[in-house]
Coordinates of all heavy atoms in Angstrom, one line a residue:
M1 N 75.6 83.5 95.3 CA 76.7 84.1 95.9 C 77.7 83.1 96.5 O 77.2 82.2 97.1 CB 76.4 85.2 96.9 CG 77.6 85.8 97.6 SD 77.2 87.0 98.8 CE 77.4 88.4 97.7
G2 N 78.9 83.1 96.1 CA 79.9 82.1 96.6 C 80.8 82.7 97.7 O 80.9 83.9 97.9
R3 N 81.4 81.7 98.3 CA 82.3 82.1 99.5 C 83.5 81.3 99.3 O 83.5 80.1 98.8 CB 81.7 81.8 100.8 CG 82.6 82.2 101.9 CD 81.9 82.0 103.3 NE 82.4 83.0 104.1 CZ 81.8 83.7 105.0 NH1 80.5 83.6 105.1 NH2 82.5 84.4 105.8
L4 N 84.7 82.0 99.5 CA 86.0 81.3 99.3 C 86.9 81.6 100.5 O 87.0 82.7 101.0 CB 86.7 81.9 98.1 CG 88.1 81.3 97.8 CD1 88.0 79.8 97.3 CD2 88.7 82.1 96.6
Q5 N 87.4 80.5 101.1 CA 88.4 80.5 102.2 C 89.8 80.5 101.6 O 90.1 79.5 100.9 CB 88.2 79.4 103.2 CG 89.2 79.5 104.3 CD 89.0 80.6 105.2 OE1 88.0 81.2 105.5 NE2 90.2 81.2 105.7
V6 N 90.5 81.6 101.8 CA 91.9 81.7 101.2 C 92.9 81.5 102.3 O 92.8 82.1 103.3 CB 92.1 83.1 100.6 CG1 93.5 83.2 100.1 CG2 91.1 83.4 99.6
D7 N 93.7 80.6 102.2 CA 94.8 80.3 103.1 C 96.1 80.2 102.2 O 96.4 79.2 101.7 CB 94.6 79.0 103.9 CG 93.4 79.0 104.7 OD1 93.4 79.9 105.6 OD2 92.5 78.2 104.6
L8 N 96.8 81.4 102.1 CA 97.9 81.4 101.2 C 99.0 82.5 101.7 O 98.6 83.5 102.1 CB 97.3 81.8 99.8 CG 98.3 81.9 98.6 CD1 98.8 80.5 98.3 CD2 97.5 82.4 97.4
L9 N 100.2 82.1 101.6 CA 101.3 83.0 101.9 C 101.2 83.6 103.3 O 101.5 84.8 103.5 CB 101.3 84.2 100.8 CG 101.5 83.7 99.3 CD1 101.4 84.9 98.4 CD2 102.9 83.1 99.2
G10 N 100.8 82.8 104.2 CA 100.7 83.2 105.6 C 99.5 84.1 105.9 O 99.3 84.5 107.0
A11 N 98.5 84.2 105.0 CA 97.3 84.9 105.2 C 96.2 84.0 105.1 O 96.1 83.1 104.4 CB 97.1 86.0 104.1
S12 N 95.1 84.3 105.9 CA 93.9 83.4 105.9 C 92.7 84.4 106.0 O 92.6 85.2 107.1 CB 94.0 82.5 107.1 OG 92.8 81.7 107.2
F13 N 91.8 84.3 105.1 CA 90.6 85.1 105.1 C 89.5 84.5 104.3 O 89.8 83.7 103.4 CB 90.9 86.6 104.8 CG 91.6 86.7 103.4 CD1 90.9 86.9 102.3 CD2 93.0 86.6 103.4 CE1 91.5 87.0 101.1 CE2 93.7 86.8 102.2 CZ 92.9 87.0 101.0
S14 N 88.3 85.0 104.4 CA 87.2 84.6 103.6 C 86.8 85.7 102.6 O 87.0 86.9 102.9 CB 86.0 84.3 104.4 OG 86.2 83.1 105.0
V15 N 86.5 85.3 101.4 CA 86.0 86.2 100.4 C 84.6 85.8 99.9 O 84.4 84.7 99.7 CB 87.0 86.3 99.2 CG1 86.5 87.2 98.1 CG2 88.4 86.7 99.6
R16 N 83.7 86.9 99.8 CA 82.4 86.5 99.2 C 82.4 87.2 97.8 O 82.9 88.3 97.6 CB 81.3 87.1 100.0 CG 81.1 86.4 101.3 CD 79.8 87.0 102.0 NE 79.7 86.3 103.3 CZ 78.6 86.4 103.9 NH1 77.6 87.1 103.6 NH2 78.6 85.8 105.2
A17 N 81.8 86.6 96.8 CA 81.7 87.1 95.5 C 80.4 86.6 94.9 O 79.7 85.7 95.4 CB 82.9 86.7 94.7
S18 N 80.0 87.2 93.8 CA 78.8 86.9 93.1 C 78.9 85.5 92.4 O 77.9 84.9 91.9 CB 78.4 87.9 92.1 OG 79.4 88.2 91.1
E19 N 80.1 85.1 92.1 CA 80.4 83.7 91.5 C 80.1 82.6 92.4 O 80.1 82.7 93.7 CB 81.8 83.7 91.0 CG 82.2 84.8 90.1 CD 81.5 84.9 88.7 OE1 80.9 83.9 88.4 OE2 81.4 86.0 88.2
D20 N 79.9 81.4 91.8 CA 79.6 80.2 92.7 C 80.9 79.7 93.3 O 82.0 80.1 92.9 CB 78.9 79.1 92.0 CG 79.6 78.5 90.8 OD1 80.8 78.3 90.9 OD2 79.0 78.2 89.8
D21 N 80.8 78.8 94.4 CA 81.9 78.3 95.2 C 83.0 77.6 94.2 O 84.2 77.7 94.3 CB 81.5 77.4 96.2 CG 80.7 78.1 97.3 OD1 80.8 79.3 97.4 OD2 80.2 77.3 98.2
E22 N 82.4 76.8 93.3 CA 83.3 76.0 92.4 C 84.1 76.9 91.5 O 85.4 76.7 91.4 CB 82.5 75.1 91.5 CG 83.2 74.2 90.6 CD 82.4 73.3 89.7 OE1 81.2 73.1 90.0 OE2 83.0 72.7 88.8
Y23 N 83.5 78.0 91.0 CA 84.4 78.9 90.1 C 85.4 79.6 91.0 O 86.6 79.7 90.6 CB 83.4 79.9 89.5 CG 84.1 80.9 88.7 CD1 84.7 80.7 87.4 CD2 84.4 82.2 89.2 CE1 85.4 81.6 86.7 CE2 85.0 83.2 88.4 CZ 85.5 82.8 87.2 OH 86.2 83.8 86.4
L24 N 85.1 80.0 92.1 CA 86.0 80.7 93.1 C 87.1 79.8 93.4 O 88.3 80.2 93.5 CB 85.3 81.2 94.3 CG 84.3 82.3 94.1 CD1 83.5 82.6 95.4 CD2 84.9 83.5 93.5
S25 N 86.9 78.5 93.6 CA 87.9 77.5 93.9 C 88.8 77.2 92.8 O 90.0 77.2 93.0 CB 87.2 76.2 94.3 OG 88.1 75.2 94.7
K26 N 88.3 77.4 91.5 CA 89.2 77.2 90.4 C 90.1 78.4 90.3 O 91.3 78.3 90.0 CB 88.3 77.1 89.2 CG 87.7 75.8 89.0 CD 86.8 75.7 87.7 CE 86.1 74.4 87.5 NZ 85.3 74.3 86.3
L27 N 89.6 79.6 90.5 CA 90.4 80.8 90.6 C 91.5 80.6 91.6 O 92.8 81.0 91.3 CB 89.6 82.1 90.9 CG 88.6 82.5 89.8 CD1 87.9 83.8 90.4 CD2 89.2 82.8 88.5
L28 N 91.2 80.2 92.7 CA 92.3 80.1 93.8 C 93.3 79.1 93.4 O 94.5 79.3 93.7 CB 91.6 79.8 95.2 CG 92.5 79.7 96.3 CD1 93.4 81.0 96.5 CD2 91.8 79.2 97.6
T29 N 92.8 78.0 92.9 CA 93.7 76.9 92.4 C 94.7 77.5 91.5 O 95.9 77.2 91.5 CB 93.0 75.7 91.9 OG1 92.2 75.1 92.9 CG2 93.8 74.6 91.4
H30 N 94.2 78.2 90.4 CA 95.1 78.8 89.4 C 96.1 79.7 90.1 O 97.2 79.7 89.7 CB 94.2 79.5 88.4 CG 95.0 80.0 87.3 ND1 95.8 79.2 86.3 CD2 95.1 81.3 86.8 CE1 96.3 79.9 85.5 NE2 96.0 81.3 85.7
Y31 N 95.6 80.6 91.0 CA 96.5 81.5 91.6 C 97.6 80.8 92.4 O 98.8 81.1 92.4 CB 95.7 82.5 92.6 CG 96.5 83.6 93.1 CD1 96.6 84.7 92.3 CD2 96.9 83.6 94.4 CE1 97.3 85.8 92.8 CE2 97.7 84.7 94.8 CZ 97.8 85.9 94.0 OH 98.5 86.9 94.5
K32 N 97.2 79.7 93.1 CA 98.2 78.9 93.9 C 99.2 78.3 92.9 O 100.4 78.2 93.3 CB 97.5 77.8 94.7 CG 96.8 78.4 95.9 CD 96.1 77.3 96.7 CE 95.5 77.8 98.0 NZ 94.9 76.7 98.8
E33 N 98.7 77.8 91.7 CA 99.7 77.4 90.7 C 100.7 78.3 90.4 O 101.9 78.1 90.1 CB 99.0 76.8 89.6 CG 98.1 75.4 89.9 CD 97.2 75.0 88.8 OE1 97.1 75.8 87.7 OE2 96.6 73.9 89.0
I34 N 100.3 79.5 90.1 CA 101.2 80.6 89.7 C 102.2 80.9 90.9 O 103.3 81.0 90.6 CB 100.4 81.8 89.4 CG1 99.6 81.7 88.1 CG2 101.3 83.1 89.3 CD1 98.7 82.8 87.7
I35 N 101.7 81.0 92.1 CA 102.5 81.2 93.3 C 103.6 80.1 93.3 O 104.8 80.4 93.6 CB 101.7 81.3 94.6 CG1 100.8 82.6 94.5 CG2 102.6 81.3 95.8 CD1 101.5 83.9 94.8
S36 N 103.2 78.9 93.2 CA 104.1 77.7 93.3 C 105.1 77.8 92.2 O 106.3 77.5 92.4 CB 103.3 76.4 93.2 OG 104.1 75.3 93.2
S37 N 104.7 78.1 90.9 CA 105.6 78.3 89.9 C 106.7 79.4 90.2 O 107.9 79.2 89.8 CB 104.9 78.5 88.6 OG 105.7 78.8 87.5
L38 N 106.1 80.5 90.7 CA 107.2 81.6 91.0 C 108.1 81.2 92.1 O 109.3 81.5 92.0 CB 106.4 82.8 91.4 CG 105.6 83.5 90.4 CD1 104.5 84.5 91.0 CD2 106.5 84.2 89.3
K39 N 107.6 80.5 93.2 CA 108.6 80.0 94.2 C 109.6 79.0 93.5 O 110.7 79.2 93.9 CB 107.7 79.2 95.3 CG 107.0 80.2 96.3 CD 106.3 79.4 97.3 CE 105.7 80.2 98.3 NZ 105.1 79.4 99.3
E40 N 109.2 78.2 92.8 CA 110.0 77.1 92.1 C 111.2 77.8 91.3 O 112.3 77.3 91.1 CB 109.3 76.1 91.3 CG 108.5 75.1 92.3 CD 107.6 74.1 91.4 OE1 107.8 74.1 90.2 OE2 106.8 73.6 92.1
S41 N 110.7 78.9 90.6 CA 111.6 79.6 89.8 C 112.7 80.5 90.5 O 113.6 81.0 90.0 CB 110.9 80.5 88.8 OG 110.5 81.7 89.4
G42 N 112.4 80.6 91.9 CA 113.3 81.4 92.7 C 113.1 82.8 92.7 O 113.9 83.6 93.1
A43 N 111.9 83.2 92.2 CA 111.5 84.6 92.1 C 111.6 85.3 93.4 O 112.1 86.4 93.4 CB 110.2 84.8 91.4
S44 N 111.2 84.7 94.4 CA 111.1 85.4 95.7 C 110.6 84.4 96.8 O 109.8 83.4 96.4 CB 110.3 86.6 95.7 OG 110.3 87.2 97.0
D45 N 110.9 84.6 98.1 CA 110.2 83.9 99.1 C 109.3 84.9 99.9 O 108.6 84.5 100.8 CB 111.2 83.3 100.1 CG 111.8 82.0 99.5 OD1 111.1 81.3 98.8 OD2 113.0 81.8 99.9
N46 N 109.4 86.2 99.6 CA 108.6 87.2 100.3 C 107.2 87.1 99.9 O 106.9 87.3 98.7 CB 109.3 88.6 100.0 CG 108.5 89.7 100.6 OD1 107.4 90.0 100.3 ND2 109.3 90.4 101.5
P47 N 106.2 87.0 100.9 CA 104.8 86.9 100.4 C 104.2 88.0 99.7 O 103.5 87.9 98.7 CB 104.1 86.7 101.8 CG 105.2 86.2 102.7 CD 106.4 86.8 102.2
L48 N 104.6 89.2 100.0 CA 104.1 90.4 99.3 C 104.7 90.4 98.0 O 103.9 90.7 96.9 CB 104.5 91.7 100.1 CG 104.0 93.0 99.5 CD1 102.5 92.9 99.3 CD2 104.5 94.2 100.3
Q49 N 105.9 90.2 97.8 CA 106.5 90.2 96.3 C 105.9 89.1 95.5 O 105.6 89.3 94.4 CB 108.0 90.0 96.4 CG 108.7 91.2 97.0 CD 110.2 90.9 97.1 OE1 110.7 89.8 96.9 NE2 111.0 92.0 97.5
L50 N 105.7 87.9 96.1 CA 105.0 86.8 95.4 C 103.6 87.2 94.9 O 103.2 86.9 93.8 CB 105.0 85.5 96.2 CG 106.3 84.8 96.3 CD1 106.2 83.6 97.4 CD2 106.7 84.2 95.0
S51 N 102.9 87.8 95.9 CA 101.5 88.3 95.5 C 101.5 89.3 94.3 O 100.7 89.1 93.4 CB 100.8 89.0 96.7 OG 100.7 88.1 97.7
I52 N 102.4 90.2 94.4 CA 102.5 91.2 93.3 C 103.0 90.5 92.0 O 102.4 90.8 90.9 CB 103.5 92.3 93.7 CG1 102.9 93.2 94.8 CG2 103.8 93.3 92.5 CD1 103.9 94.1 95.5
L53 N 104.0 89.7 92.1 CA 104.4 88.9 90.8 C 103.3 88.1 90.3 O 103.1 88.0 89.0 CB 105.6 88.1 91.2 CG 106.9 88.9 91.4 CD1 108.0 87.9 91.9 CD2 107.4 89.6 90.1
A54 N 102.5 87.4 91.1 CA 101.3 86.6 90.7 C 100.3 87.6 90.0 O 99.7 87.2 88.9 CB 100.8 85.9 91.8
G55 N 100.1 88.7 90.5 CA 99.1 89.7 89.9 C 99.6 90.1 88.6 O 98.8 90.2 87.7
I56 N 100.9 90.3 88.4 CA 101.4 90.7 87.1 C 101.4 89.6 86.2 O 101.0 89.9 85.0 CB 102.9 91.3 87.3 CG1 103.0 92.6 88.1 CG2 103.7 91.4 86.0 CD1 104.3 93.0 88.5
T57 N 101.6 88.5 86.7 CA 101.5 87.3 85.8 C 100.0 87.1 85.3 O 99.8 86.8 84.0 CB 101.9 86.0 86.5 OG1 103.3 86.1 86.9 CG2 101.7 84.6 85.6
L58 N 99.1 87.2 86.2 CA 97.7 87.1 85.7 C 97.3 88.3 84.9 O 96.5 88.1 83.9 CB 96.8 87.1 87.0 CG 96.8 85.8 87.9 CD1 96.1 86.1 89.1 CD2 96.1 84.7 87.1
T59 N 97.7 89.4 85.0 CA 97.5 90.6 84.1 C 98.1 90.2 82.7 O 97.4 90.5 81.7 CB 98.1 91.8 84.7 OG1 97.5 92.1 86.0 CG2 97.8 93.0 83.8
D60 N 99.3 89.7 82.7 CA 99.9 89.3 81.4 C 98.9 88.3 80.8 O 98.8 88.3 79.5 CB 101.3 88.7 81.7 CG 101.9 88.1 80.4 OD1 102.0 89.0 79.5 OD2 102.3 87.1 80.4
E61 N 98.5 87.2 81.4 CA 97.6 86.3 80.8 C 96.3 87.0 80.3 O 95.8 86.6 79.1 CB 97.1 85.2 81.9 CG 98.2 84.2 82.3 CD 97.7 83.2 83.4 OE1 96.5 83.2 83.7 OE2 98.6 82.5 83.9
L62 N 95.8 87.8 81.0 CA 94.5 88.6 80.6 C 94.8 89.4 79.2 O 94.0 89.3 78.3 CB 94.0 89.5 81.7 CG 92.8 90.3 81.2 CD1 91.6 89.5 80.9 CD2 92.4 91.3 82.4
F63 N 95.9 90.1 79.3 CA 96.3 91.0 78.1 C 96.5 90.1 76.9 O 96.1 90.4 75.7 CB 97.5 91.8 78.3 CG 97.3 93.1 79.1 CD1 98.2 93.6 79.9 CD2 96.0 93.8 78.9 CE1 97.9 94.8 80.5 CE2 95.8 94.9 79.6 CZ 96.7 95.5 80.4
K64 N 97.2 89.0 77.0 CA 97.5 88.0 76.0 C 96.2 87.4 75.5 O 96.0 87.3 74.3 CB 98.4 87.0 76.4 CG 99.8 87.4 76.4 CD 100.8 86.3 76.9 CE 102.2 86.8 77.0 NZ 103.2 85.9 77.6
A65 N 95.3 87.1 76.4 CA 93.9 86.5 75.9 C 93.1 87.6 75.2 O 92.5 87.3 74.2 CB 93.2 86.1 77.2
K66 N 93.2 88.8 75.6 CA 92.5 89.9 74.9 C 93.1 90.2 73.5 O 92.3 90.3 72.6 CB 92.5 91.2 75.7 CG 91.6 91.3 76.8 CD 91.7 92.6 77.5 CE 90.6 92.8 78.6 NZ 90.6 94.2 79.1
T67 N 94.4 90.0 73.4 CA 95.1 90.3 72.1 C 94.7 89.1 71.2 O 94.5 89.3 70.0 CB 96.6 90.3 72.3 OG1 97.0 91.4 73.2 CG2 97.3 90.6 71.0
Q68 N 94.7 87.9 71.6 CA 94.4 86.8 70.8 C 92.9 86.7 70.4 O 92.5 86.2 69.4 CB 94.8 85.5 71.5 CG 96.3 85.4 71.6 CD 96.7 84.2 72.5 OE1 95.9 83.5 73.0 NE2 98.0 83.9 72.6
N69 N 92.1 87.3 71.3 CA 90.6 87.3 71.0 C 90.1 88.7 71.3 O 89.5 89.0 72.3 CB 89.9 86.3 72.0 CG 90.4 84.9 71.8 OD1 90.4 84.4 70.8 ND2 90.9 84.3 72.9
P70 N 90.3 89.6 70.3 CA 89.9 91.0 70.6 C 88.3 91.1 70.8 O 87.9 92.1 71.3 CB 90.3 91.7 69.4 CG 90.7 90.7 68.4 CD 90.9 89.4 69.1
Q71 N 87.6 90.1 70.2 CA 86.1 90.2 70.4 C 85.7 90.0 71.8 O 84.6 90.3 72.2 CB 85.4 89.3 69.4 CG 85.5 87.9 69.7 CD 86.7 87.3 69.1 OE1 87.7 88.0 68.6 NE2 86.9 85.9 69.0
V72 N 86.5 89.3 72.6 CA 86.2 89.1 74.0 C 86.4 90.3 74.9 O 87.5 90.9 74.8 CB 87.1 87.9 74.6 CG1 86.9 87.7 76.1 CG2 86.9 86.7 73.8
Q73 N 85.3 90.7 75.4 CA 85.4 91.9 76.2 C 85.1 91.6 77.7 O 84.1 90.8 77.9 CB 84.4 93.0 75.7 CG 84.7 93.5 74.3 CD 86.0 94.3 74.3 OE1 86.3 95.1 75.1 NE2 86.8 94.1 73.2
V74 N 85.7 92.3 78.6 CA 85.4 92.1 80.0 C 84.5 93.3 80.3 O 84.9 94.5 80.2 CB 86.6 92.2 80.9 CG1 86.3 92.1 82.3 CG2 87.6 91.0 80.4
S75 N 83.3 93.1 80.9 CA 82.4 94.2 81.2 C 83.0 95.0 82.4 O 83.8 94.6 83.2 CB 81.1 93.6 81.7 OG 81.2 93.0 83.0
S76 N 82.5 96.2 82.4 CA 83.0 97.2 83.5 C 82.5 96.7 84.9 O 83.3 96.8 85.8 CB 82.5 98.6 83.3 OG 81.1 98.7 83.3
T77 N 81.4 95.9 85.0 CA 80.9 95.3 86.2 C 81.9 94.2 86.7 O 82.2 94.2 87.8 CB 79.6 94.8 86.1 OG1 78.7 95.7 85.6 CG2 79.0 94.2 87.3
D78 N 82.4 93.4 85.7 CA 83.4 92.4 86.1 C 84.7 93.1 86.4 O 85.3 92.6 87.4 CB 83.6 91.5 84.9 CG 82.4 90.6 84.6 OD1 81.6 90.4 85.5 OD2 82.4 90.0 83.4
Q79 N 85.1 94.1 85.8 CA 86.3 94.7 86.2 C 86.2 95.4 87.5 O 87.1 95.3 88.3 CB 86.7 95.8 85.1 CG 87.2 95.3 83.7 CD 87.4 96.4 82.7 OE1 87.0 97.5 82.9 NE2 88.1 96.0 81.7
D80 N 85.1 96.0 87.8 CA 84.8 96.7 89.2 C 84.9 95.6 90.2 O 85.4 95.8 91.3 CB 83.5 97.4 89.2 CG 83.5 98.6 88.3 OD1 84.6 99.1 87.8 OD2 82.4 99.2 88.0
E81 N 84.2 94.5 90.0 CA 84.2 93.4 91.0 C 85.6 92.8 91.2 O 86.1 92.6 92.3 CB 83.3 92.3 90.6 CG 83.2 91.1 91.5 CD 82.6 91.4 92.9 OE1 82.1 92.5 93.0 OE2 82.6 90.5 93.7
A82 N 86.4 92.7 90.2 CA 87.7 92.1 90.2 C 88.6 93.2 91.0 O 89.4 92.7 91.9 CB 88.3 91.8 88.9
E83 N 88.5 94.4 90.8 CA 89.2 95.4 91.4 C 88.8 95.5 92.9 O 89.7 95.5 93.7 CB 89.0 96.8 90.8 CG 89.8 97.9 91.5 CD 89.6 99.1 90.7 OE1 89.4 99.3 89.4 OE2 89.8 100.3 91.4
R84 N 87.5 95.3 93.2 CA 87.0 95.3 94.6 C 87.7 94.2 95.3 O 88.2 94.3 96.5 CB 85.6 95.4 94.7 CG 85.0 95.3 96.1 CD 83.5 95.2 96.1 NE 83.2 93.9 95.8 CZ 83.3 92.8 96.7 NH1 83.8 93.0 97.8 NH2 82.9 91.7 96.3
L85 N 87.6 93.0 94.7 CA 88.1 91.8 95.4 C 89.7 91.8 95.6 O 90.2 91.5 96.6 CB 87.7 90.6 94.6 CG 86.3 90.1 94.7 CD1 86.1 89.0 93.7 CD2 85.9 89.7 96.0
T86 N 90.4 92.4 94.6 CA 91.8 92.6 94.7 C 92.1 93.5 95.8 O 93.1 93.2 96.6 CB 92.4 93.1 93.3 OG1 92.0 92.1 92.3 CG2 93.9 93.2 93.4
K87 N 91.5 94.6 95.9 CA 91.8 95.6 97.0 C 91.5 95.0 98.3 O 92.3 95.1 99.2 CB 91.0 96.8 96.8 CG 91.5 97.8 95.7 CD 90.6 99.0 95.5 CE 91.1 99.8 94.3 NZ 90.3 101.0 94.2
Q88 N 90.4 94.2 98.4 CA 90.0 93.6 99.6 C 91.2 92.5 100.1 O 91.6 92.6 101.3 CB 88.7 92.9 99.4 CG 88.2 92.2 100.8 CD 86.8 91.7 100.5 OE1 86.6 90.9 99.5 NE2 85.9 91.7 101.5
M89 N 91.6 91.8 99.2 CA 92.6 90.8 99.5 C 93.9 91.5 99.9 O 94.6 91.1 100.7 CB 92.9 89.9 98.3 CG 91.8 88.8 98.1 SD 92.3 87.5 97.0 CE 91.5 88.0 95.5
I90 N 94.3 92.6 99.1 CA 95.6 93.3 99.4 C 95.5 93.9 100.9 O 96.4 93.8 101.7 CB 95.8 94.4 98.4 CG1 96.3 93.8 97.1 CG2 96.9 95.4 98.9 CD1 96.3 94.7 95.9
E91 N 94.3 94.4 101.2 CA 94.1 95.0 102.6 C 94.3 93.9 103.6 O 94.9 94.1 104.7 CB 92.7 95.6 102.7 CG 92.6 96.9 102.0 CD 91.2 97.4 101.9 OE1 90.2 96.9 102.5 OE2 90.9 98.5 101.2
K92 N 93.7 92.8 103.3 CA 93.8 91.6 104.3 C 95.3 91.1 104.4 O 95.8 90.8 105.5 CB 92.8 90.6 104.0 CG 91.4 91.0 104.3 CD 90.4 89.9 104.0 CE 89.0 90.4 104.3 NZ 88.1 89.3 104.2
I93 N 95.9 91.1 103.3 CA 97.3 90.7 103.3 C 98.1 91.7 104.1 O 99.0 91.3 104.8 CB 97.9 90.4 101.9 CG1 97.2 89.2 101.3 CG2 99.3 90.3 101.9 CD1 97.4 89.1 99.8
D94 N 97.9 92.9 103.8 CA 98.7 94.0 104.6 C 98.5 93.9 106.0 O 99.4 94.1 106.8 CB 98.2 95.4 104.1 CG 98.8 95.8 102.7 OD1 99.8 95.0 102.3 OD2 98.3 96.7 102.1
K95 N 97.3 93.6 106.5 CA 97.0 93.4 107.9 C 97.8 92.3 108.6 O 98.2 92.3 109.6 CB 95.5 93.2 108.2 CG 94.7 94.5 108.0 CD 93.2 94.3 108.3 CE 92.4 95.5 107.9 NZ 91.0 95.3 108.1
V96 N 97.9 91.2 107.8 CA 98.6 90.0 108.2 C 100.1 90.3 108.3 O 100.7 89.8 109.3 CB 98.3 88.8 107.3 CG1 99.2 87.6 107.7 CG2 96.9 88.4 107.5
L97 N 100.7 91.0 107.4 CA 102.1 91.4 107.4 C 102.4 92.4 108.3 O 103.4 92.5 108.8 CB 102.4 91.7 105.9 CG 102.3 90.6 104.8 CD1 102.7 91.1 103.4 CD2 103.2 89.4 105.1

C-alpha cells in the first residue's frame, strides 16, 4: 500500500492507495504537468476550474488510449479505486476552498 502527499492548487492532503509510492508519485507528477500546461495556456487561475480541466484532459487521454488499443481493458476494480480516490480528492479540495 502506498501513500502520497499532495500539495497542489492550495490544497494539501495525504492519499493512501493500493499502488506503491513510486507509481503514485508518477501519477502526481503527470497531473502537475497537466495543471502547469493548463496554467501556461491561460485556461484559468481558479484552482477548482484547473482541477476540473485536468480531469477532463486525463479522461481524454484515457479514451484516446482505449481507442488506439481496444484490447486494453480497465478492470472494474481499478475504475472503482480511481473513482474512490477522485471523490476523496474532490472532497478535500472542496474543504480547502
